[in-house]
Amino acid sequence: MKVAHQKEDTVARWYVIHTYSGYENKVKTDLEKMVKNRELEDYFFDIVVPMEEQIEIKDGKRKANLKKVFPGYVLIKMIVTDETWYIVRNTRGVTGFVGSGTNPIPLTEEEIRNMGFEELPIKIDYDVNESVKVVNGPLEGFIGVVQEINKEKGKVKVLVSMFGRETPVELEFSQVQKV
């Protein structure tokens, strides 16, 4: 059966699929098996059930356990075609894609970055020794000069003039913009 409403896409994007509660890992496993069996590795790139470690203190003992960050949801990086949409949509435990009607809506780069499960390169338009303005955070509105850019950490060291003296501050790339 071919679904005619879906437009073909050639770019892999992250989508969110809604599942029955408690079925997240089963959906991930079933989808991975189906992708392998149907040799669709060129269309499916990653299937993630975001987890975070939670420290619990029980009877005076620290115990770490993994907890689902978004219960009832699975994140999937895929190229949407009629076939891939149909496979995901008809996997046991999946209630549908998050989006409007039959069109799944991909996550934005900012949403992906905020979730922290994929490192996206951040485009910066400033360089060392250039002036930048702090656009958010406690130093919002301050102007400073870029001293150092650390792409691995996503941080920038800026020399900001505060209370009559130059003070080096470490900020996120997204907290400053070129003046």
Side-chain angles (χ1 to χ4, degrees):
M1 179 182 136
K2 203 83 165 117
V3 183
H5 61 273
Q6 208 50 39
K7 74 176 189 357
E8 297 281 319
D9 198 350
T10 55
V11 179
R13 299 180 202 277
W14 281 100
Y15 296 91
V16 180
I17 44 181
H18 192 258
T19 68
Y20 293 123
S21 191
Y23 273 74
E24 301 88 353
N25 292 327
K26 178 106 178 82
V27 164
K28 174 181 164 63
T29 308
D30 289 353
L31 270 169
E32 286 169 344
K33 277 186 205 154
M34 226 176 310
V35 167
K36 197 170 168 54
N37 291 344
R38 295 190 183 201
E39 297 178 358
L40 290 169
E41 291 91 344
D42 293 344
Y43 293 91
F44 291 89
F45 298 88
D46 210 351
I47 302 169
V48 179
V49 178
M51 305 289 264
E52 67 182 358
E53 194 174 55
Q54 197 173 43
I55 306 293
E56 200 177 294
I57 297 173
K58 208 173 197 174
D59 304 327
K61 291 187 178 90
R62 286 170 59 99
K63 189 181 151 206
N65 55 10
L66 288 175
K67 183 175 172 265
K68 290 182 187 92
V69 179
F70 308 113
Y73 295 95
V74 174
L75 303 167
I76 185 167
K77 186 174 187 173
M78 64 183 278
I79 295 172
V80 174
T81 65
D82 291 345
E83 185 182 11
T84 60
W85 179 90
Y86 186 80
I87 286 169
V88 172
R89 193 62 195 83
N90 290 288
T91 299
R92 225 181 95 194
V94 172
T95 58
F97 279 95
V98 171
S100 59
T102 54
N103 293 326
I105 296 174
L107 292 170
T108 64
E109 283 192 7
E110 189 179 356
E111 289 167 329
I112 295 163
R113 225 186 329 273
N114 290 343
M115 287 181 198
F117 62 84
E118 183 179 79
E119 290 303 311
L120 289 173
I122 298 176
K123 295 166 196 82
I124 53 173
D125 64 351
Y126 47 82
D127 222 325
V128 174
N129 294 328
E130 287 191 328
S131 291
V132 291
K133 181 178 184 177
V134 181
V135 291
N136 65 26
L139 301 175
E140 186 175 337
F142 278 86
I143 305 275
V145 176
V146 176
Q147 275 195 306
E148 187 183 307
I149 296 172
N150 185 332
K151 288 193 173 163
E152 288 77 43
K153 284 185 175 176
K155 304 258 187 198
V156 59
K157 195 175 279 179
V158 180
L159 208 54
V160 178
S161 180
M162 282 192 288
F163 314 116
R165 61 176 357 148
E166 301 282 294
T167 308
V169 289
E170 196 175 66
L171 300 164
E172 301 282 330
F173 282 168
S174 60
Q175 287 183 281
V176 296
Q177 69 184 29
K178 191 173 178 175
V179 178

